[in-house]
Amino acid sequence: MSVELNESEIIQNPALGAFALWKFGLGFQADDSRPAPMPLLFLILPLLMHRQTSEVIESTRKASGLTLFAAKLGEERENLLAVHERALILRKLTWDSLELGIRGGLLTVNYVEATVRANTLLGAVAKTVLPERLKNLPNSAEKIGYWFSKTGLNQIATTLRVEF
């Protein structure tokens, strides 16, 4: 029995989402091992799974930071303003991805502090093979994690025009 998936089903699935959240967490923790505030996870999939936005992420240098990324994204104002709406639409996928990441040992949640830690994998890990359209997803997720780690929660909300 063969099941054919459309592009949306291939891209927007919890396994890929868990992988993206894990890579985001690794980027967030890169400098000081501090876990990411949980609300930030709800911005990752809306940023990565929107083609135009992901292209802006890819074209923005890591050292340029969140402000330059938002300025580039805001050149077409509706793209920046749509981040909040996409976060609401992808909220269930983010929850499902977080749950799968926890069950798979990629992520650990501190429920008291509402933070999420990306775990280091032990042993040999197979290299991830992604389709061409998604080949930049791991680096983009880590880049967002790095940008968010350098910016406070309120500043991120203001810069990306979102509400937590």
Side-chain angles (χ1 to χ4, degrees):
M1 181 170 137
S2 170
V3 176
E4 296 209 18
L5 302 174
N6 64 38
E7 183 176 343
S8 176
E9 292 169 328
I10 293 169
I11 293 173
Q12 296 182 6
N13 71 69
L16 184 61
F19 176 70
L21 296 179
W22 176 64
K23 294 300 278 186
F24 161 78
L26 292 176
F28 192 94
Q29 297 165 195
D31 279 352
D32 60 9
S33 300
R34 184 173 38 101
M38 189 178 293
L40 294 179
L41 273 67
F42 290 88
L43 298 176
I44 306 314
L45 301 183
L47 293 172
L48 293 174
M49 295 186 173
H50 181 254
R51 184 183 303 263
Q52 292 171 316
T53 304
S54 68
E55 289 172 357
V56 174
I57 294 167
E58 292 167 21
S59 70
T60 306
R61 293 175 186 255
K62 182 177 175 181
S64 298
L66 181 65
T67 303
L68 182 60
F69 159 71
K72 290 170 69 175
L73 187 63
E75 289 174 1
E76 292 187 39
R77 189 171 168 79
E78 61 275 4
N79 283 339
L80 183 59
L81 296 177
V83 173
H84 182 81
E85 187 67 28
R86 289 197 311 266
L88 294 175
I89 292 169
L90 294 175
R91 188 173 30 198
K92 181 177 182 333
L93 177 61
T94 300
W95 276 121
D96 292 346
S97 300
L98 178 60
E99 178 186 353
L100 190 60
I102 293 167
R103 281 192 289 136
L106 296 175
L107 303 166
T108 301
V109 174
N110 180 324
Y111 294 99
V112 174
E113 296 180 9
T115 58
V116 178
R117 175 170 302 285
N119 298 319
T120 303
L121 301 181
L122 301 175
V125 178
K127 183 177 179 183
T128 305
V129 179
L130 296 172
E132 182 67 23
R133 174 170 168 352
L134 300 172
K135 71 176 183 180
N136 293 319
L137 184 135
N139 289 338
S140 293
E142 285 192 42
K143 191 184 298 182
I144 297 169
Y146 178 80
W147 291 340
F148 282 7
S149 75
K150 304 298 179 196
T151 312
L153 198 60
N154 290 334
Q155 185 63 38
I156 293 168
T158 301
T159 303
L160 294 178
R161 311 277 199 272
V162 296
E163 294 179 19
F164 293 115

